[in-house]
Amino acid sequence: MIKVCKFGGTSMADGITMLRVRKIIESDAARRYIVVSAPGKRFSGDVKVTDLLYETYENVSLRGETGEAFDNICERFRGIVAELGLNMDIDGLLERTRREILEEATPDFCASRGEYLSACVMAQLLDVPFIDARDVVKFGADGRLDGERTYALLACALKGKKRAVVAGFYGEDVNGKVKTFSRGGSDVSGAIVARAAGAGLYENWTDVSGFLACDPRIVDNPLPIRAISYKELRELSYMGANVLHSESIFPVREADIPIRIKNTFRPEDEGTEIVPTSRYTYSGKRVTGIAGKKDFTVIFLEKSLMNAEIGFTYRVLEVFLKYGISFEHIPTGIDTMSFVIDASELKNGVLDEVCEQIRTTVHPDSLRVIHDIALIAVVGHGMARSVGTSARLFEAIARAGVNVRMIDQGSSELNIIVGVDNDSYERTIKAVYEEFFD
Ligand code: ASP
């Protein structure tokens, strides 16, 4: 079996952590293709190399020079190479990079150089070939990954290589210019390499031991999630549980490749395995995880005989479309309907205009706006199998003295979403965690 391993910024932060990475790779012959991020933070308050590179771009566009930010990057890479005792011409590489940045001064090109340089160093440390993502990861004219070309080029580049290091985060667009994924995008690169290599496992090495059942800032030491399906992960990440870039699921999901989140600093920890939904086996747990977000606004509409008025929802949605507002949920009753919207969508007085338009378009009996609502998603395939999950959930919330403002259950029974006041957010998460995990 081939394993593709992606190491994030904290795993690449300095020479000591890179030696850990080498040990991890060399301890398993299946760990053949390595994707790396740029060096991240070494301590809280430190600056990531990628952020220094965006600053370098600003310097070049304002003053025509790479400035102090790039000098700091050079110092970091010189330090890493010295710590590792590598015999490589890092000064030459950094000088060439400086010249290329001045020539191809786009934000994406500048930002990509962190991954480029760290992959060069890692390839040297492992004494294996370096693959420039520019040659193998291709974007189409629509700005999206050109999967067909990318997988073919990558498969060809990897063929016959026992091991190789690929730079994460970037590729090349149709005009031959470097283009990056969005921030954190080395996760996506890792998934693409896993797919192209026909890997049996995509290991994503980071600085936490996988997903936790809920936010550790709210509950002390929540239990780790050992296994989670792609669908459950999608629900939890959407609601704020962020360990993995959300787009990194797609390339591997299509090829049925599981992802395992591992901790570079505690490699013995099992981590979390993200499995294709088709291969998911019921663990006996009703709830897999709990996640949530604050600051939603609810527009509540009431109108007698709403259920018989054909096109009611359509006309309200047309108003949202006109203002370019995306909504999260529409819980409905017979004569009531609520639109749950992220408050950041309704800035600069747009809310008043939207409400006015809704009033003149569908003439509701009443329209109310409720601010400062938090949404909490309780997620798990196990909920569909067991009677009484929602009874337990709402009893636990009631015991905590929290008033439920909204309920929405997806038809797949994979999640129940509960709306509460922002102020009750933490209390609700604690109560739900205690009910299902303690
Ligand atoms: N270095 C990039 C970032 O900081 C990409 C990554 O690390 O995945 O966003």
Side-chain angles (χ1 to χ4, degrees):
M1 177 180 56
I2 295 175
K3 291 182 188 170
V4 167
C5 306
K6 178 259 166 177
F7 290 89
T10 41
S11 307
M12 301 296 291
D14 59 27
I16 310 279
T17 57
M18 284 197 193
L19 287 174
R20 279 179 177 277
V21 169
R22 180 172 73 178
K23 199 168 159 204
I24 290 167
I25 295 167
E26 293 185 344
S27 68
D28 184 349
R31 294 188 174 131
R32 291 184 47 193
Y33 304 123
I34 314 303
V35 177
V36 292
S37 281
K41 291 186 184 182
R42 291 160 291 185
F43 42 83
S44 84
D46 195 15
V47 187
K48 289 176 166 193
V49 163
T50 308
D51 290 320
L52 288 170
L53 283 160
Y54 283 118
E55 212 180 306
T56 304
Y57 167 74
E58 296 291 323
N59 293 340
V60 173
S61 50
L62 290 174
R63 301 199 304 275
E65 58 178 40
T66 50
E68 202 184 320
F70 194 75
D71 295 343
N72 287 341
I73 294 169
C74 294
E75 212 171 290
R76 275 193 79 171
F77 276 102
R78 279 196 208 101
I80 288 173
V81 168
E83 257 178 310
L84 295 173
L86 288 177
N87 179 20
M88 70 184 281
D89 179 15
I90 189 69
D91 288 332
L93 185 58
L94 290 167
E95 196 38 48
R96 178 162 61 77
T97 305
R98 187 195 302 273
R99 265 185 276 118
E100 285 171 352
I101 284 178
L102 290 168
E103 271 163 35
E104 194 174 335
T106 65
D108 283 21
F109 181 77
C110 292
S112 72
R113 294 305 88 187
E115 271 68 13
Y116 175 85
L117 291 167
S118 72
C120 288
V121 173
M122 187 44 85
Q124 189 80 20
L125 179 64
L126 295 171
D127 194 19
V128 303
F130 157 77
I131 296 177
D132 190 348
R134 192 174 193 165
D135 300 332
V136 287
V137 176
K138 302 289 178 181
F139 292 93
D142 58 359
R144 298 162 73 110
L145 180 79
D146 179 345
E148 215 173 300
R149 266 189 88 200
T150 299
Y151 298 133
L153 285 167
L154 254 170
C156 187
L158 300 175
K159 200 169 167 210
K161 293 193 174 65
K162 215 174 123 222
R163 279 204 166 111
V165 177
V166 186
F169 191 38
Y170 68 92
E172 192 182 66
D173 70 12
V174 277
N175 302 314
K177 295 273 181 221
V178 162
K179 179 174 162 57
T180 62
F181 293 101
S182 56
R183 293 300 302 265
S186 299
D187 284 343
V188 187
S189 310
I192 291 168
V193 174
R195 163 92 177 258
L201 182 63
Y202 169 29
E203 285 184 339
N204 190 293
W205 291 83
T206 175
D207 54 5
V208 291
S209 295
F211 283 92
L212 299 171
C214 77
D215 188 338
R217 287 167 301 185
I218 300 176
V219 169
D220 286 339
N221 293 319
L223 287 173
I225 299 178
R226 295 259 173 265
I228 184 170
S229 76
Y230 284 134
K231 276 196 185 152
E232 290 173 325
L233 177 68
R234 172 93 184 99
E235 300 280 344
L236 289 174
S237 321
Y238 176 70
M239 288 299 284
N242 288 326
V243 174
L244 202 62
H245 191 293
S246 57
E247 284 166 39
S248 57
I249 294 177
F250 301 108
V252 280
R253 188 180 65 184
E254 284 161 16
D256 246 19
I257 302 167
I259 308 173
R260 184 172 280 279
I261 310 286
K262 293 280 288 176
N263 188 347
T264 301
F265 304 90
R266 293 175 61 99
E268 62 290 351
D269 284 358
E270 210 179 301
T272 301
E273 180 151 10
I274 306 158
V275 289
T277 309
S278 58
R279 268 201 253 151
Y280 182 85
T281 47
Y282 180 46
S283 63
K285 272 208 164 14
R286 289 176 187 234
V287 174
T288 305
I290 307 158
K293 280 200 246 179
K294 285 184 176 178
D295 297 329
F296 289 92
T297 299
V298 179
I299 301 178
F300 173 84
L301 303 178
E302 191 166 13
K303 188 174 187 186
S304 298
L305 299 177
M306 180 192 282
N307 63 327
E309 188 177 325
I310 291 172
F312 183 92
T313 322
Y314 176 78
R315 285 196 292 278
V316 179
L317 292 181
E318 264 189 340
V319 176
F320 290 129
L321 180 66
K322 181 172 159 202
Y323 285 89
I325 292 168
S326 83
F327 60 87
E328 310 293 320
H329 301 278
I330 321 182
T332 54
I334 296 173
D335 285 337
T336 61
M337 190 169 278
S338 301
F339 294 85
V340 182
I341 303 158
D342 195 317
S344 62
E345 296 271 325
L346 297 166
K347 286 207 175 105
N348 307 327
V350 169
L351 178 62
D352 291 342
E353 276 185 47
V354 167
C355 291
E356 199 39 47
Q357 286 259 334
I358 293 176
R359 277 196 194 95
T360 52
T361 314
V362 293
H363 307 288
D365 297 338
S366 71
L367 182 156
R368 263 191 303 133
V369 175
I370 307 159
H371 292 284
D372 302 326
I373 292 291
L375 296 185
I376 293 157
V378 182
V379 176
H381 286 292
M383 295 197 304
R385 298 164 188 264
S386 34
V387 179
T389 308
S390 41
R392 278 178 61 187
L393 173 68
F394 292 111
E395 252 177 58
I397 297 177
R399 270 200 310 276
V402 174
N403 181 24
V404 173
R405 308 290 301 260
M406 189 204 95
I407 302 168
D408 198 4
Q409 178 169 28
S411 48
S412 62
E413 288 188 65
L414 181 63
N415 64 19
I416 299 175
I417 293 175
V418 182
V420 300
D421 289 336
N422 269 351
D423 292 348
S424 307
Y425 176 70
E426 284 83 3
R427 205 155 24 117
T428 311
I429 294 210
K430 271 194 191 129
V432 177
Y433 181 84
E434 279 162 19
E435 176 62 32
F436 290 101
F437 291 91
D438 261 1

